[in-house]
Amino acid sequence: VPCWVLADAYHAGLRSATSFLLGVALPRRAAGEIEVHATQALGIFAAMCLASARTPMNRRLRAVVIGLPVLFGIELLTGVIAIRTQILAQTGGGLPPWLLRFRDEALIAPPWLGAPLVWLLLLGRWEFPVLRTEDRAAGPQGTSSPRADRRDARRAAEQGHP
């Protein structure tokens, strides 16, 4: 499903959640306004997970199920920060213009950085074996893993070895 098909429902959900958290009514999106950035980041994340060839399929699907709500939370937090600081600025909260400019620039990054970072956290150890901590602890060969250790212990027990 192309991400833009889900964009309206996704942004309506973000708007509702943000309104609830801030306790303010947010205006509906203007007709013809295009907001597909967040849904594109979700699509990129899902595609990265599903295309992770070294990762078993059940792990890929699990990453999608875990990662999409995490990315929604990042987007929600970004929106809450942006709107709350704007409310403070408009009500005489004394925020300097340079801080508002910094906020505008800084809040662009989370949706785009979130997808690859969440992917790296959830699937990076499968896709980049050098990131496996158990491999580094195993020594220079780097072939051990908890699953392999359990398998080897089970086989040894079946063969009568301690």
Side-chain angles (χ1 to χ4, degrees):
V1 175
C3 299
W4 58 268
V5 171
L6 303 173
D8 287 338
Y10 179 77
H11 287 285
L14 273 175
R15 192 174 295 105
S16 296
T18 304
S19 291
F20 176 77
L21 289 173
L22 292 173
V24 298
L26 297 175
R28 290 190 164 199
R29 193 173 64 166
E33 183 181 344
I34 298 173
E35 287 186 50
V36 295
H37 301 297
T39 53
Q40 296 293 3
L42 295 176
I44 289 168
F45 172 76
M48 288 172 67
C49 290
L50 297 175
S52 298
R54 293 182 179 155
T55 305
M57 183 56 81
N58 64 337
R59 294 281 182 171
R60 293 186 232 173
L61 296 174
R62 183 174 178 238
V64 171
V65 169
I66 292 169
L68 290 178
V70 168
L71 291 172
F72 177 84
I74 291 169
E75 184 72 18
L76 180 62
L77 180 62
T78 302
V80 167
I81 291 170
I83 293 168
R84 185 68 184 137
T85 55
Q86 188 63 34
I87 291 170
L88 281 173
Q90 290 176 348
T91 58
L95 295 175
W98 66 267
L99 183 58
L100 293 174
R101 283 192 305 277
F102 174 77
R103 175 213 56 193
D104 293 342
E105 295 299 323
L107 293 180
I108 292 171
W112 296 108
L113 291 177
L117 290 177
V118 171
W119 176 87
L120 188 63
L121 288 171
L122 294 173
L123 299 178
R125 70 185 193 101
W126 292 95
E127 295 301 309
F128 302 111
V130 72
L131 296 178
R132 293 184 188 171
T133 56
E134 65 268 11
D135 287 351
R136 287 194 300 249
Q141 290 80 17
T143 57
S144 181
S145 72
R147 178 180 274 170
D149 291 344
R150 285 191 302 272
R151 183 191 64 228
D152 293 344
R154 190 173 48 249
R155 286 181 183 164
E158 289 170 357
Q159 295 174 357
H161 300 296

